[in-house]
Amino acid sequence: NGLGFDVDSTDLILECDNFGFLDGKCVIDCPGRHFTVYPGYNLKLSNFILKGATESSVEVMESASLLGDFCEWESNSNNLNNG
């Protein structure tokens, strides 16, 4: 259904180290949504390229947070027309 990974029970830190390939960034490339961050939780991404999402790459709900260090968002869309 394209809902991606839910950050809903603990804070999540994902750091990519792909040993110098693709300028040191990991790629998440899929339709749907990549992540949903629920109220009160935090998601930190480091060195990622997120692309191809069709339901918004990351949904961050009220009182949640997203920190993207050295991340890039490319060719994502929100076909749900909800923000």
Side-chain angles (χ1 to χ4, degrees), residues 2 6 9 16 22 27 41 43 45-46 51 56 62 68 71 80:
D6 291 338
S9 62
C16 172
L22 296 173
V27 177
Y41 294 99
L43 171 61
L45 300 172
S46 296
K51 62 185 193 174
S56 185
E62 187 174 340
C71 290
L80 299 177

Side-chain angles (χ1 to χ4, degrees), residues 3-34:
L3 295 181
F5 187 85
D6 291 338
V7 179
D8 62 356
S9 62
T10 186
D11 294 340
L12 180 63
I13 298 172
L14 295 176
E15 297 183 3
C16 172
D17 182 0
N18 66 0
F19 307 101
F21 297 103
L22 296 173
D23 297 324
K25 294 188 167 122
C26 293
V27 177
I28 297 174
D29 184 0
C30 59
R33 181 177 303 128
H34 300 140

Side-chain angles (χ1 to χ4, degrees), residues 15-75:
E15 297 183 3
C16 172
D17 182 0
N18 66 0
F19 307 101
F21 297 103
L22 296 173
D23 297 324
K25 294 188 167 122
C26 293
V27 177
I28 297 174
D29 184 0
C30 59
R33 181 177 303 128
H34 300 140
F35 297 94
T36 302
V37 188
Y38 284 84
Y41 294 99
N42 305 292
L43 171 61
K44 179 184 177 188
L45 300 172
S46 296
N47 298 312
F48 280 89
I49 298 172
L50 294 98
K51 62 185 193 174
T54 54
E55 297 178 16
S56 185
S57 177
V58 182
E59 179 181 8
V60 180
M61 297 185 173
E62 187 174 340
S63 79
S65 69
L66 167 68
L67 174 62
D69 285 333
F70 305 104
C71 290
E72 300 173 30
W73 280 263
E74 301 176 357
S75 303

